[in-house]
Amino acid sequence: MNYDVIVVGGGIGGLAFGALACARLGKKVLILEKNNAVGGRLYSFQREGFTLDIGAHVISQSEKGPLGPILQAVNKEGSISWKHVRPMTSYRGEMFAFPRGLEGRIPEGEYAALMSFFREIVLMNDAASHELDAVDLRTYAQSKGVHDPLALACINNVNMVYVCVPYQRASAGEFIRCLRNEAHSRASGYPEGGCGAISEAIASGIREKGGSLLTSTEVQQIIIENGRAVGVRTKNSEYRAPIIISNADGRRTLLDLLPKGILPQSDSVRIRKMSYSYSMLIVRMALKHPVTDLRLITHIADLDPERYEEKLLTGNFPREVNLFMPVPSNFSPECAPPGRQLLTAGIWIPFETPDLDKLKNIVVDTAYKILPDLKNAVMWEYVTTPGDLHAAVLENGAIIGLGQSIDQVGKQRLGVKTDIPGLYLCGAEAGGTGVGIELAIDSVFELIKEMGKNDAAWLKAIN
C-alpha cells in the first residue's frame, strides 16, 4: 500500500497538512489515527442531547487565523459558523473586561504602565518578539513597570489561556505573538456545533479531495531503511511512502516510534528533558435552565501564580481556584437541548496534581460562587481528568502540547525537520507559534516552507 505522503496522527496538525497536500498539490495522502475519530483535542461527543468537547476551548482567531486557509483549501470555509467573544474576568465577586476594566481597580500609575505594556506588544514585530523568547513573561511585564499583583495576575490569566504554562516560566516572546495576533484579528470565538465540527469539516474535505483517513489504526513503528524513513507499521499492516509526517507528538515520535539505535543518545537525553504544558481538570455541567448570558469567564482566585502552583502540586488546595469557564451553548445553541444550558468549568493543573476528587469539589464550589444561580440548575456533571485526556491525546494530557516555556520556543523548540531523511514533524510539539490549534497549524506552514527548500513545488500548497 503505497502513498505519496503518510501522516501519523489525525489531530489538527495532521489534518491541516493532509488538507493542503491533497487539495493544493494532488498528493496521495494517508492519515492514520489511533483513536476512533480524528481531531485530537478538537473532538466532540454527545451525552443526553448535549454536545461536549473533549477539552475546554475558545479558538483565538477563529476563521481569521491559520485555520481559515485550511478550511478554504478543502472548500469548507462556509461550513463553519462562528460566534465571537470578549472574555470577562471574574475577581472577588466582580466582572470586568481586561485590561481596561482595571482602571480604578489598581493605582493610576500601574494602569498607565499596563496599557503602555499592551500597546507596545500590539505594535511589536516578529523579530523583536523573538529577542524575548528566552525571557519569562513575569520578568518582562515587571521590566515595563507592571508590578501591581492584580495586574500581574490578570496577565498570567491571559497567558494561561494562550499557552497553559505559568508566567514565571512562559516565554514573553510567545505571549507577545499570541496576544498581538489575537488583537489584530479581533475574532476569538467558538464554532457552532462544537469544536468537533472543525475536525469533521476538514476530514470530510480531505476525503472529497481524494485523501484517505483510517481511524482506530495506531502506528507502532516508523520504518527506516538505509537511513531513510520509508513507511510505517501498524498492528496488522505496513504502509509505504517517501515522506512520513508525524503529528503523533514530536517527542514521542523520536523516542518511541523510531527503531532502537536510530536516535543518537545525546538527542534522546535532550528530548526526554522537554516538558508539556499544563493539563486540565474539566467539569462540564448540564443545566436545566440558563444561568448566564456570558460566553466566557476567566476567574482569578490567587494573585501569586508561583505559590498557587505549589499548592496544586502538594494537594494543599485553596478554598477557591482559578477557572476557565466557557459556556458552549451561549456560542452555539445546538450544544444543548432547547431551554437548557451547557457550562464548562476547567482548572489548569500540572499532570502530577494529586487528590483530584477533592479538587473537583473545589472547582464546583468556586463556579457556584461566581454564578450563584448555578447550584440549583445543575442536572448532571461530566468530569474529565488529566488521566482521561492522556488516554485520548497522550502527552500527559497536555492542553496545548510541548510547553511554550523560555527553553522550548523559537530555536529551542523541536524542529519540523528531523535528522532522518523523509521524516518530518508537525503539530503543537514541533516548530510553530501561536495559541493551541493555531500553533499546530502554524507548524504545518513552517514545515511546508522547509520542504519547499528541497522541492519548490511544495510551496504551492501555501501560496
Side-chain angles (χ1 to χ4, degrees):
M1 286 177 268
N2 296 310
Y3 296 86
D4 295 323
V5 181
I6 293 173
V7 179
V8 182
I12 190 63
L15 292 175
F17 184 90
L20 293 174
C22 70
R24 295 272 175 83
L25 301 178
K27 298 290 186 181
K28 187 179 180 183
V29 176
L30 172 66
I31 299 175
L32 301 172
E33 167 57 43
K34 74 180 183 69
N35 292 317
N36 61 10
V38 296
R41 294 170 179 84
L42 286 187
Y43 170 70
S44 303
F45 58 98
Q46 300 292 314
R47 189 176 193 271
E48 297 183 25
F50 290 80
T51 300
L52 311 183
D53 294 328
I54 191 173
H57 297 289
V58 169
I59 311 303
S60 177
Q61 299 179 72
S62 303
E63 76 281 15
K64 295 184 180 180
L67 185 58
I70 305 303
L71 292 168
Q72 291 167 14
V74 289
N75 300 325
K76 295 296 180 180
E77 64 270 32
S79 67
I80 303 291
S81 296
W82 298 88
K83 292 288 182 64
H84 298 128
V85 64
R86 177 69 187 274
M88 296 299 292
T89 300
S90 164
Y91 177 66
R92 291 187 175 179
E94 295 184 322
M95 297 273 189
F96 58 89
F98 178 74
R100 295 191 182 278
L102 281 186
E103 185 173 15
R105 289 185 168 89
I106 61 176
E108 185 177 341
E110 285 282 342
Y111 179 73
L114 177 69
M115 297 308 293
S116 176
F117 169 78
F118 278 105
R119 284 193 295 269
E120 180 176 297
I121 285 176
V122 170
L123 296 174
M124 192 176 296
N125 61 32
D126 278 347
S129 74
H130 279 294
E131 292 179 4
L132 296 166
D133 280 348
V135 178
D136 71 81
L137 177 57
R138 177 176 61 184
T139 297
Y140 176 65
Q142 290 175 337
S143 76
K144 296 299 177 179
V146 182
H147 299 283
D148 181 82
L150 178 56
L152 288 171
C154 286
I155 290 171
N156 181 63
N157 194 38
V158 175
N159 166 70
M160 291 300 293
V161 174
Y162 287 164
V163 304
C164 298
V165 175
Y167 78 159
Q168 66 267 22
R169 294 194 302 278
S171 163
E174 190 68 13
F175 174 84
I176 288 165
R177 292 186 288 275
C178 292
L179 189 146
R180 179 200 62 196
N181 292 343
E182 183 175 290
H184 289 174
S185 68
R186 301 180 66 84
S188 294
Y190 186 87
E192 291 189 10
C195 285
I198 299 171
S199 304
E200 292 169 6
I202 299 172
S204 174
I206 289 172
R207 292 188 179 98
E208 291 169 9
K209 297 294 183 178
S212 300
L213 296 93
L214 294 180
T215 56
S216 302
T217 306
E218 183 173 5
V219 170
Q220 297 181 336
Q221 189 176 66
I222 294 170
I223 303 170
I224 307 295
E225 293 179 355
N226 299 318
R228 183 179 184 87
V230 296
V232 300
R233 290 191 182 94
T234 65
K235 181 178 180 180
N236 299 314
S237 300
E238 184 175 294
Y239 303 89
R240 295 265 172 163
I243 297 175
I244 310 299
I245 309 295
S246 182
N247 180 225
D249 174 10
R251 186 176 184 272
R252 174 173 172 262
T253 298
L254 298 176
L255 295 176
D256 299 334
L257 296 185
L258 291 177
K260 290 183 179 180
I262 295 294
L263 188 69
Q265 181 63 21
S266 59
D267 288 346
S268 177
V269 171
R270 178 179 68 88
I271 293 168
R272 287 185 190 280
K273 292 179 179 178
M274 292 182 169
S275 60
Y276 296 109
S277 75
Y278 265 23
S279 185
M280 186 174 265
L281 175 64
I282 306 168
V283 184
R284 304 169 191 83
M285 303 181 199
L287 310 183
K288 55 189 175 185
H289 56 76
V291 300
T292 180
D293 59 0
L294 296 176
R295 291 177 176 174
L296 176 61
I297 303 167
T298 58
H299 178 67
I300 297 174
D302 197 304
L303 299 184
D304 187 340
E306 200 160 8
R307 178 186 63 192
Y308 181 74
E309 181 179 52
E310 183 179 346
K311 290 178 180 179
L312 293 175
L313 286 170
T314 60
N316 184 28
F317 305 134
R319 293 182 179 179
E320 185 179 327
V321 291
N322 301 341
L323 290 182
F324 177 71
M325 297 177 62
V327 187
S329 57
N330 283 1
F331 289 98
S332 173
E334 298 90 339
C335 289
R340 310 296 194 189
Q341 190 168 58
L342 175 64
L343 182 142
T344 300
I347 175 174
W348 299 287
I349 57 174
F351 183 71
E352 305 84 359
T353 301
D355 204 352
L356 297 182
D357 288 338
K358 177 182 177 182
L359 184 57
K360 177 262 177 183
N361 291 332
I362 296 174
V363 167
V364 172
D365 287 344
T366 301
Y368 290 168
K369 184 175 181 180
I370 298 166
L371 297 171
D373 294 336
L374 179 60
K375 186 173 184 178
N376 293 327
V378 176
M379 297 189 297
W380 50 261
E381 301 168 352
Y382 189 96
V383 179
T384 297
T385 67
D388 296 329
L389 291 171
H390 178 74
V393 300
L394 302 178
E395 304 173 11
N396 288 351
I399 290 297
I400 302 291
L402 198 65
Q404 292 152 285
S405 52
I406 55 175
D407 55 348
Q408 295 185 165
V409 300
K411 295 179 180 179
Q412 302 300 313
R413 199 164 184 80
L414 276 180
V416 293
K417 180 182 178 182
T418 75
D419 292 333
I420 301 167
L423 177 61
Y424 299 89
L425 308 175
C426 74
E429 300 78 31
T433 190
V435 181
I437 71 164
E438 294 166 357
L439 168 68
I441 298 174
D442 190 68
S443 167
V444 170
F445 295 156
E446 184 177 324
L447 168 57
I448 290 175
K449 291 176 185 176
E450 180 64 38
M451 296 171 72
K453 293 177 182 179
N454 294 325
D455 181 356
W458 277 101
L459 298 177
K460 295 178 182 178
I462 55 175
N463 292 332

